[in-house]
Amino acid sequence: MKKLILCFAICASVMLNAQTKVGDATLPNSVTFGESQLMLNGAGVREKMWIDLYAGGLYLMNKSGDANKIIAADETMAIKLHIVSRLISSDKMIDAVNEGFENSTKGNTAPIADKIKTFKGFFMDEISREDVFDITYQPSRGVVVYKNGKEKGVVEGMDFKKALFGIWLSSKPADDDLKKAMLGK
């Protein structure tokens, strides 16, 4: 019986260590998309006026603190957004995406306008507290978006991938503190 209890305690400890607590969310330390296993590079909370909106984690094949290299890399990566606020709605998410692309591209969204429109369509369904979005880049497919584990769609093109990851990692990110946290700083 003591061995069984010890075994259970060890298993529970290993499972707890395979996750990272970020604000009110718990993010896994590794994820798999396509055939690539990614590790959590860093994670933080997106805040607006002292209200936590979502926990965000950046997943890479190899840890990096260089935002420009991450944006430019043609390799599998992901950003996980775990919604922690009831204040996030589909409309607010789409507004944030519009602002993010404007900032990321320095106002030059015209070359990827159709791709942005497709991407925004992935957020049309109601968004609830505890929803999880996985925004992945898979070189063989493009940007693949999942909501609560279900694939919502794909947007092809490295130009779009760079602008998209720039929302969180560019010189004018959605949240400076979240950017630093995602970069492991």
Side-chain angles (χ1 to χ4, degrees), residues 53-112:
L53 300 176
Y54 60 79
L58 173 64
Y59 292 84
L60 303 173
M61 294 177 69
N62 299 297
K63 289 197 175 230
S64 175
D66 188 329
N68 292 328
K69 285 185 180 178
I70 295 166
I71 291 170
D74 188 15
E75 62 184 43
T76 303
M77 61 184 65
I79 291 180
K80 183 178 288 288
L81 305 179
H82 185 123
I83 308 301
V84 297
S85 172
R86 286 181 170 75
L87 298 176
I88 294 189
S89 66
S90 177
D91 289 340
K92 288 181 182 177
M93 181 67 91
I94 290 169
D95 287 346
V97 165
N98 284 331
E99 181 180 345
F101 278 115
E102 283 290 324
N103 292 337
S104 175
T105 64
K106 297 180 178 141
N108 188 23
T109 59
I112 57 171

Side-chain angles (χ1 to χ4, degrees), residues 44-46 54-58 67 70-71 78-82 93 96-97 99-101 103-104 119 123 133-136 143 145 160-183:
V45 176
R46 168 74 166 107
Y54 60 79
L58 173 64
I70 295 166
I71 291 170
I79 291 180
K80 183 178 288 288
L81 305 179
H82 185 123
M93 181 67 91
V97 165
E99 181 180 345
F101 278 115
N103 292 337
S104 175
F119 180 76
F123 300 96
F133 290 91
D134 289 297
I135 301 168
T136 73
V143 171
V145 178
F160 180 75
K161 179 265 182 183
K162 289 178 181 179
L164 177 63
F165 277 74
I167 290 174
W168 294 274
L169 301 174
S170 71
S171 60
K172 194 172 180 185
D175 184 300
D176 288 318
D177 292 334
L178 177 58
K179 174 184 175 178
K180 289 176 192 170
M182 285 182 163
L183 294 174

